[in-house]
Amino acid sequence: MARITLEELNELGDEDLEEEEEPMEEEEQSRLFTHWEAVASTHQVSLPQDMAGPIAEMTRHNQTREPVPYVSISQHEKCEETAYEERLYPAGKWACITKGEPKYEQSISLGFMKLIRYICKENSLARHLGMTVPVVNEIHLNKEGTELLPDVLTAYYLPGEFQLNPPLPMDPEIQIIERAPLQVITRVFYGTTTEETILREIHLLWELLGSPDNVLRETYMVAAYQNPGVPNRRNEIWFIRRAD
């Protein structure tokens, strides 16, 4: 099956892809599709033609992205810069899908391609729901901590107006999950998100933290904020505090 990476559509291009009031002309939609097809190819994935409509829909709403709410508990500095931050994310409803492709990039591609359709009208309200950031990928490591396991859960936070009554997905693979409050330790990193870079960032944060007992060691999250066309795009690695 053809795929597009999770981050390909998380935030569409800032220079040319501006929000439009009127339906997009066929020529412009074709240009937009070609742009994202080229971006997808850099990740060794192909973009199916039926994603042209959802891409155009996301572009029209490109300027509005609702942040996932959280409370900052503490910030820790090293060399006068923030090394990591501890946050509390309140309980909330997320649209989630799990995929287990051979590569991390393939799993998030296939998962988010389905989520983007849900966001762009393939829901019980038949309307665009609006984008939230970050989109979060939950990953699992083997016991040795040397590689990622195939299954990756990709999660989209429902905008505030839909938290009480989430629109139902048309795709049976997508589940609406109520997540309990989540306390995480986060560290920003920039650039690509591959298995190699993720493992590197996990190792770096463990070095900063030492060995706290109340942090999960086999489950982590990767938060994506920007599109992959941005050379130094922002991401975060999240360590999860154990629930009391």
Side-chain angles (χ1 to χ4, degrees), residues 224-243:
Y225 287 84
Q226 293 175 293
N227 84 66
V230 177
N232 246 359
R233 62 187 180 272
R234 178 191 173 193
N235 313 283
E236 291 173 347
I237 191 72
W238 290 5
F239 283 20
I240 305 167
R241 289 282 193 191
R242 296 182 186 277

Side-chain angles (χ1 to χ4, degrees), residues 33 37 47-53:
F33 180 84
E37 189 176 40
L47 184 65
Q49 188 63 48
D50 63 5
M51 285 299 296

Side-chain angles (χ1 to χ4, degrees), residues 164-184:
L164 290 179
N165 295 294
L168 299 178
M170 308 302 288
D171 189 329
E173 287 191 71
I174 298 174
Q175 295 184 316
I176 305 300
I177 296 175
E178 171 112 32
R179 283 183 173 270
L182 186 68
Q183 190 167 332
V184 299

Side-chain angles (χ1 to χ4, degrees), residues 64-118:
T64 304
R65 300 183 188 89
E66 181 179 323
V68 178
Y70 70 88
V71 174
S72 179
I73 298 174
S74 62
Q75 292 187 347
H76 302 263
E77 294 187 350
K78 183 177 182 179
C79 299
E80 298 184 352
E81 293 185 357
T82 299
Y84 60 92
E85 179 179 6
E86 188 147 6
R87 302 175 187 159
L88 177 63
Y89 286 85
K93 294 185 175 68
W94 298 69
C96 303
I97 185 167
T98 299
K99 289 294 179 182
E101 300 299 305
K103 292 186 176 182
Y104 168 80
E105 297 95 327
Q106 295 173 333
S107 292
I108 62 175
S109 297
L110 187 57
F112 192 67
M113 193 160 60
K114 286 176 171 283
L115 285 177
I116 208 70
R117 290 185 170 98
Y118 167 67

Side-chain angles (χ1 to χ4, degrees), residues 19-240:
E19 185 175 3
E20 306 226 6
E21 295 296 331
E22 299 298 326
M24 189 174 293
E25 294 182 0
E26 184 175 345
E27 182 178 349
E28 176 62 12
Q29 183 167 314
S30 176
R31 184 197 68 81
L32 185 64
F33 180 84
T34 300
H35 169 79
W36 286 107
E37 189 176 40
V39 174
S41 70
T42 65
H43 296 265
Q44 300 180 6
V45 295
S46 58
L47 184 65
Q49 188 63 48
D50 63 5
M51 285 299 296
I55 289 173
E57 183 74 12
M58 289 293 288
T59 303
R60 282 192 287 270
H61 298 273
N62 189 42
Q63 302 305 314
T64 304
R65 300 183 188 89
E66 181 179 323
V68 178
Y70 70 88
V71 174
S72 179
I73 298 174
S74 62
Q75 292 187 347
H76 302 263
E77 294 187 350
K78 183 177 182 179
C79 299
E80 298 184 352
E81 293 185 357
T82 299
Y84 60 92
E85 179 179 6
E86 188 147 6
R87 302 175 187 159
L88 177 63
Y89 286 85
K93 294 185 175 68
W94 298 69
C96 303
I97 185 167
T98 299
K99 289 294 179 182
E101 300 299 305
K103 292 186 176 182
Y104 168 80
E105 297 95 327
Q106 295 173 333
S107 292
I108 62 175
S109 297
L110 187 57
F112 192 67
M113 193 160 60
K114 286 176 171 283
L115 285 177
I116 208 70
R117 290 185 170 98
Y118 167 67
I119 296 167
C120 294
K121 299 185 180 180
E122 289 190 17
N123 55 70
S124 57
L125 296 180
R127 57 164 287 191
H128 185 272
L129 303 181
M131 195 62 206
T132 60
V133 290
V135 171
V136 177
N137 301 296
E138 183 178 298
I139 60 173
H140 304 276
L141 270 59
N142 61 5
K143 291 183 179 180
E144 295 75 23
T146 57
E147 62 182 32
L148 273 60
L149 299 181
D151 284 354
V152 179
L153 182 144
T154 299
Y156 154 77
Y157 182 81
L158 272 296
E161 65 175 302
F162 303 119
Q163 279 292 310
L164 290 179
N165 295 294
L168 299 178
M170 308 302 288
D171 189 329
E173 287 191 71
I174 298 174
Q175 295 184 316
I176 305 300
I177 296 175
E178 171 112 32
R179 283 183 173 270
L182 186 68
Q183 190 167 332
V184 299
I185 302 169
T186 77
R187 176 176 166 81
V188 175
F189 68 100
Y190 296 91
T192 58
T193 55
T194 63
E195 179 167 351
E196 181 180 3
T197 58
I198 290 168
L199 289 173
R200 181 190 67 208
E201 293 302 324
I202 288 173
H203 178 71
L204 288 173
L205 186 49
W206 274 118
E207 285 188 340
L208 287 170
L209 294 176
S211 299
D213 294 330
N214 62 341
V215 174
L216 299 183
R217 290 185 172 272
E218 295 178 8
T219 301
Y220 302 86
M221 292 183 174
V222 180
Y225 287 84
Q226 293 175 293
N227 84 66
V230 177
N232 246 359
R233 62 187 180 272
R234 178 191 173 193
N235 313 283
E236 291 173 347
I237 191 72
W238 290 5
F239 283 20
I240 305 167

